[in-house]
Amino acid sequence: DDFEKPQNDNTADKDRDLSETREFGITKTILNNDCTHISFQTRELWGARPYLDRKRLELPVNKIFFDVSQGNRCYNFPQCAFFVRHLQEFHMDTVKISDIDFNFLVGDDARVYIGRGYDTQRELNPEYNSNSLLIGFLGNVNNIPFISPKVLHTFYKVIRCGQLQVSLSYSSSLYLSLP
C-alpha cells in the first residue's frame, strides 16, 4: 500500500465529519476504512453556502483536471476555509454558477476541502462537466515554491480514494489546467 499509515492525531478526527452517509460521493464506510489518511473538510466545516443546483456525474469518471485557485496560499484551516468561502462567493455571485466549481481543493495545510465532491458535475467547462473532476490547489502559480511534495501526495490520495469508491476509473487521464 502506497499510503502512509494514519497517525493517532486527535486533530485529524476533529477535521473530518463522518456523519455524512454518501454525501458528495463520500461514504461513511470509505472514510472509516480506506480514506482515513485524508483530512476531508466538509462544506459545513469550511462554511459553504448552500448550492443552488446539482447534477450527478456519470460514474466512474475518466478525466481528472488539476488547477490552481489563483488566490493566496494558505497554511492553516482558518486561512484556507476563508479562501474557499471567497472562491465559492466569486463563482456564485460573479461567475453566476450554482456553487464552487471545484470538486475538491487542497491547501498548503494538506487538508482537502470538499466542493462538489466525487459525484457532482462541474459547470464551467461544458465539454468535460459530465465526465471529469476538478481538483484545485489553493494558491497562485507565481508563489514559488509552488506545490510541496506533501500537498502533491494529498492530491494522489484524493485520486486513490475516489478510485476505491468507484467514483474514478483506474484508467483516468490526468490533465494540468495551469495557465
Side-chain angles (χ1 to χ4, degrees), residues 99-118:
D99 197 3
I100 192 167
D101 201 46
F102 289 90
N103 297 89
F104 298 97
L105 286 148
V106 180
D108 273 305
D109 61 354
R111 290 181 173 96
V112 178
Y113 297 82
I114 300 171
R116 291 176 179 252
Y118 286 113

Side-chain angles (χ1 to χ4, degrees), residues 74-169:
C74 59
Y75 300 92
N76 57 51
F77 176 79
Q79 287 178 336
C80 293
F82 173 81
F83 292 132
V84 175
R85 283 191 306 272
H86 180 72
L87 186 59
Q88 183 192 38
E89 179 181 292
F90 173 75
H91 283 169
M92 293 178 81
D93 298 340
T94 303
V95 180
K96 302 292 186 195
I97 59 175
S98 66
D99 197 3
I100 192 167
D101 201 46
F102 289 90
N103 297 89
F104 298 97
L105 286 148
V106 180
D108 273 305
D109 61 354
R111 290 181 173 96
V112 178
Y113 297 82
I114 300 171
R116 291 176 179 252
Y118 286 113
D119 65 349
T120 304
Q121 288 187 25
R122 306 174 323 152
E123 292 179 65
L124 290 179
N125 193 331
E127 185 177 350
Y128 297 110
N129 288 342
S130 66
N131 64 355
S132 69
L133 291 183
L134 176 61
I135 303 173
F137 169 70
L138 285 164
N140 189 312
V141 293
N142 296 324
N143 295 334
I144 305 297
F146 182 42
I147 301 177
S148 73
K150 180 178 178 182
V151 171
L152 286 174
H153 191 66
T154 301
F155 278 104
Y156 166 77
K157 292 188 289 187
V158 170
I159 292 169
R160 182 71 177 124
C161 182
Q163 290 170 331
L164 293 169
Q165 296 188 70
V166 194
S167 296
L168 297 173
S169 166

Side-chain angles (χ1 to χ4, degrees), residues 16-28:
R16 202 178 308 108
D17 178 6
L18 299 180
S19 65
E20 299 175 338
T21 302
R22 201 67 189 161
E23 182 67 20
F24 297 99
I26 302 171
T27 62
K28 185 174 181 181

